[in-house]
Amino acid sequence: MKTMLITTGPQGSGNHVFSKVFALHKQVYGWKDLLDKYWIAHDYEPFSDCWDMPSLLNSIDWTSMDYYVTSISCPYANKGTVTIPRYKDFIRSTQQLGIEIKVAIIGRDQTVLRYQQERVRDRYSYPDFEKQLDYLMEFNPTFISQELLYLYKGRYLKSLSKQLNFPIDYDNPLIDEILTEDANSKYFNKIQRTSLDKIVRNVSGLGD
């Protein structure tokens, strides 16, 4: 049965990086153009027009692949306009074509997410996505993590492939290249030792 994986999450949670790694597999129709660039606007995502007008799904040639992946953040920029994805219309239109829907919900550290949204979009938009969660939960989604992706890389993707029952090229050498720079690192600075650190170090035999 043909399968469509919808990867979605709050704006800035990691849609682009997951789009890259999911598009690596030869059996998956995904955002291949993104593999050659660090970032491309959502307007160029393969199914972007369908998110704006789900009826366009009927005009797609579904014979080339058995596995498809689309990425959408909530909210997203639709030709310069902040837009809430039409989840129900998109999913219903896809299912009417006889395509199975799988949903993967991306998560990211909540403090980093707030900082990122306020830095790039001038507002904390997570509540916009939170309002959509009850509907998305109807599809028994798999929750995926940007932090776990950067930490465990191919091992994490191998686990996700089994959880999602979806092909992921977790051994591809490009994965290390894609994940070279942790997107969270710019938000962190080392802190001074705390009083608790002294206790832990003593227990560990390290002294002060």
Side-chain angles (χ1 to χ4, degrees):
M1 185 176 188
K2 293 185 182 296
T3 302
M4 165 72 82
L5 173 63
I6 297 174
T7 59
T8 189
Q11 181 274 320
S13 59
N15 281 279
H16 276 75
V17 69
F18 274 105
S19 291
K20 288 184 179 186
V21 297
F22 286 154
L24 286 172
H25 203 287
K26 294 180 179 179
Q27 295 180 13
V28 175
Y29 180 87
W31 201 350
K32 305 291 187 184
D33 290 345
L34 194 58
L35 295 173
D36 299 322
K37 296 183 179 180
Y38 179 74
W39 190 88
I40 304 175
H42 177 267
D43 294 353
Y44 296 96
E45 198 269 349
F47 293 94
S48 62
D49 290 340
C50 299
W51 281 102
D52 185 41
M53 190 179 299
S55 60
L56 292 175
L57 288 162
N58 295 308
S59 63
I60 291 177
D61 179 9
W62 297 99
T63 61
S64 60
M65 297 278 187
D66 286 331
Y67 298 97
Y68 300 79
V69 61
T70 183
S71 173
I72 189 77
S73 64
C74 180
Y76 70 102
N78 181 14
K79 299 176 176 63
T81 301
V82 176
T83 305
I84 303 297
R86 298 173 61 181
Y87 289 114
K88 291 183 179 180
D89 293 335
F90 185 95
I91 290 174
R92 186 182 300 115
S93 295
T94 305
Q95 290 175 323
Q96 288 174 349
L97 293 168
I99 298 169
E100 180 184 7
I101 289 290
K102 294 178 182 289
V103 177
I105 296 179
I106 308 171
R108 189 178 186 180
D109 177 87
Q110 60 182 340
T111 302
V112 170
L113 192 64
R114 177 184 286 273
Y115 287 164
Q116 195 276 347
Q117 291 174 354
E118 292 175 345
R119 177 177 63 89
V120 177
R121 306 295 185 187
D122 291 334
R123 62 181 288 264
Y124 180 52
S125 61
Y126 170 74
D128 294 343
F129 178 70
E130 189 175 28
K131 293 175 183 177
Q132 309 301 317
L133 275 174
D134 284 344
Y135 172 70
L136 294 174
M137 290 300 295
E138 296 178 14
F139 299 91
N140 191 28
T142 298
F143 286 84
I144 61 181
S145 164
Q146 181 172 164
E147 281 76 22
L148 292 179
L149 175 61
Y150 277 97
L151 181 62
Y152 297 119
K153 299 181 175 65
R155 294 180 179 89
Y156 177 58
L157 293 173
K158 183 177 182 179
S159 174
L160 282 186
S161 183
K162 292 180 179 179
Q163 291 178 55
L164 290 165
N165 191 24
F166 194 86
I168 300 174
D169 193 2
Y170 48 80
D171 286 329
N172 195 308
L174 285 176
I175 291 173
D176 286 338
E177 182 179 328
I178 291 170
L179 301 176
T180 297
E181 183 179 353
D182 189 333
N184 282 0
S185 61
K186 58 180 169 288
Y187 293 99
F188 293 100
N189 293 302
K190 290 184 178 179
I191 63 171
Q192 298 298 316
R193 288 181 181 172
T194 68
S195 57
L196 179 58
D197 293 341
K198 182 178 180 180
I199 297 173
V200 173
R201 288 177 64 81
N202 285 331
V203 171
S204 302
L206 297 174
D208 295 338

